[in-house]
Amino acid sequence: MCATDINHYLENNQNWVKTVLSQNEEYFDVLKEGQHPKALLLGCSDSRVSPSMVLGSELGELFIHRNIANVVSHTDLNFLSVMQFAVENLGVRDIIVYGHYGCGGVKAAYENNSNGLIDNWLANIKDVIRHHKSELNSIEDQNTRLNRLVELNVLEQIENIKQTSIYRQAIDSGNKLKLYAWVFDFNTGMVHDLKKKYNIKPSIV
């Protein structure tokens, strides 16, 4: 992409500012006072799954962290720091793990080829594959199998959140955190709530 192509984002920004101010002259005055997000969202870095666009959220509504295949790794100080700040400083009580069907990271982990440095990150998903090997092997269609792996990965990351010291300290302090497992579907544009889809009890997710 040439510099001219990139610059159109700056033009879009200018047009957006004009539109926002035409609707509310105090918009940025309110925004600069601080943030009070309703939820922490862990999503995939995939450029096609922008949470703000897909969920129609405004600035300040979601505290967002994104990485390859929406993984919660207990060695990832980046995400853990984000989660701690969200829970302890911003008072967030809702945490969403937001995956998507057709996830390249999930597919790469499943195919188990050599991909260089990213293989160290994908090892987290390979653990999910190992834990659910029997179920995945029972699914004949590969696309369906990969979609199920996407779901299992999201659910596994929910469990990983529960094992963090941040989550446990919040619960011990009486701050009940609600965890949500969502998956975006490219085919329909819809976001599926796995808890409702599979009738998972609230005590689990």
Side-chain angles (χ1 to χ4, degrees), residues 23-186:
Q23 298 172 349
N24 181 2
E25 294 181 354
E26 300 179 348
Y27 184 85
F28 294 107
D29 292 330
V30 174
L31 199 64
K32 69 183 181 182
E33 292 301 320
Q35 61 173 323
H36 305 283
K38 299 177 180 177
L40 165 63
L41 183 144
L42 168 62
C44 181
S45 298
D46 193 303
S47 62
R48 302 166 294 172
V49 299
S50 172
S52 297
M53 180 173 291
V54 172
L55 301 175
S57 62
E58 295 290 338
L59 295 181
E61 286 189 37
L62 293 174
F63 199 61
I64 298 175
H65 179 85
R66 298 171 70 176
N67 61 41
I68 300 298
N70 42 268
V71 166
V72 176
S73 171
H74 297 293
T75 60
D76 181 8
L77 296 181
N78 191 341
F79 172 70
L80 295 177
S81 297
V82 168
M83 181 179 170
Q84 181 175 21
F85 185 78
V87 172
E88 298 181 5
N89 294 79
L90 299 177
V92 167
R93 295 293 175 261
D94 293 317
I95 301 177
I96 304 163
V97 177
Y98 169 74
H100 66 97
Y101 298 126
C103 180
V106 168
K107 183 178 180 181
Y110 176 78
E111 292 177 342
N112 200 30
N113 295 320
S114 178
N115 299 287
L117 180 64
I118 195 175
D119 286 336
N120 297 283
W121 185 258
L122 297 179
N124 295 287
I125 306 173
K126 293 177 182 180
D127 286 339
V128 179
I129 296 172
R130 179 169 52 83
H131 294 158
H132 300 276
K133 184 176 181 180
S134 296
E135 177 183 353
L136 292 170
N137 287 343
S138 69
I139 302 174
E140 295 184 4
D141 179 70
Q142 179 166 312
N143 187 59
T144 303
R145 190 184 309 132
L146 287 173
N147 284 345
R148 181 53 181 158
L149 178 54
V150 164
E151 295 177 342
L152 291 171
N153 181 54
V154 169
L155 293 170
E156 193 75 18
Q157 305 319 313
I158 291 287
E159 294 304 314
N160 287 344
I161 286 177
K162 291 181 180 180
Q163 298 305 314
T164 64
S165 59
I166 304 159
Y167 179 87
R168 292 183 173 184
Q169 288 172 10
I171 298 301
D172 290 342
S173 299
N175 296 322
K176 185 177 181 181
L177 302 181
K178 295 181 180 179
L179 307 179
Y180 302 84
W182 292 358
V183 174
F184 175 60
D185 188 344
F186 287 128

